[in-house]
Amino acid sequence: MNQTSIPPKGFIEHEFIREFHDSEEKLQQFWNKLLLRETFTSGQIFPYRVEFSDTAQEGYMIPGELNIHHGPFLSVHGAVGEITKNYRNLNYFYGSYVLSFRLVRPVQLEFFKEDQFIKLKFKVYLRPWFSPIWEFSNRILWSLFGFSMDRK
């Protein structure tokens, strides 16, 4: 599923990009974890939760599989998109939001496996004035994500 929509009136498109660098072995372990449901369903801080539509909440993700990340000020639901040897994406549905539907609307989360790094690209629509806060918050969040992937 290719996201070709345009931002709603009063919103801008924002892409947060982060690269995770490490040894080839560590990057492969990191990549393998990105493909597993339990990477996202286990260890969530209460009251936040990730659920998959499949009865199995563990094992490899399947293209087209539905999921939701939810908790206070968060309802991000979508479908697992393409999964290849070097690419994985998650396409979010209309109605998904972070903090408020009037503030941040997730569109797509992509991971690219390269030889020397794994790149994350998180596309959202958001209010222009919120862009610096969103950028700063994502720098913190995804730094912790990379750290937590090393520890599992």
Side-chain angles (χ1 to χ4, degrees):
M1 179 169 148
N2 189 348
Q3 298 291 338
T4 58
S5 62
I6 58 171
K9 185 177 180 182
F11 285 76
I12 60 168
E13 181 179 296
H14 181 278
E15 287 187 346
F16 177 82
I17 297 174
R18 168 81 202 271
E19 293 180 0
F20 301 91
H21 295 264
D22 211 323
S23 69
E24 190 175 323
E25 180 183 345
K26 290 270 189 181
L27 288 173
Q28 188 59 54
Q29 290 172 355
F30 185 80
W31 183 255
N32 293 341
K33 289 178 184 179
L34 287 172
L35 303 178
L36 295 170
R37 293 180 191 114
E38 58 267 28
T39 299
F40 303 93
T41 59
S42 300
Q44 292 291 313
I45 298 170
F46 180 83
Y48 295 93
R49 191 163 174 186
V50 176
E51 296 178 44
F52 287 83
S53 61
D54 193 303
T55 54
Q57 297 299 299
E58 296 182 348
Y60 287 101
M61 294 179 207
I62 305 164
E65 179 174 36
L66 304 177
N67 73 21
I68 184 169
H69 294 61
H70 60 91
F73 305 106
L74 179 70
S75 182
V76 186
H77 35 96
V80 175
E82 183 179 353
I83 299 175
T84 69
K85 181 177 128 182
N86 297 316
Y87 178 76
R88 178 176 86 73
N89 76 343
L90 178 60
N91 298 299
Y92 296 112
F93 297 138
Y94 183 78
S96 292
Y97 67 87
V98 178
L99 299 175
S100 167
F101 187 65
R102 295 178 178 187
L103 192 58
V104 180
R105 300 179 186 185
V107 176
Q108 185 177 54
L109 176 63
E110 297 176 285
F111 291 97
F112 306 84
K113 184 178 180 298
E114 305 291 341
D115 290 336
Q116 303 298 316
F117 60 91
I118 292 175
K119 180 170 77 172
L120 165 144
K121 186 162 72 168
F122 186 28
K123 178 179 166 182
V124 300
Y125 299 146
L126 52 73
R127 297 292 182 175
W129 64 266
F130 195 68
S131 185
I133 298 164
W134 181 252
E135 183 75 24
F136 178 75
S137 300
N138 273 272
R139 287 187 191 286
I140 293 169
L141 171 71
W142 293 110
S143 293
L144 296 173
F145 179 77
F147 179 77
S148 70
M149 291 293 278
D150 288 340
R151 304 294 176 236
K152 288 185 179 182

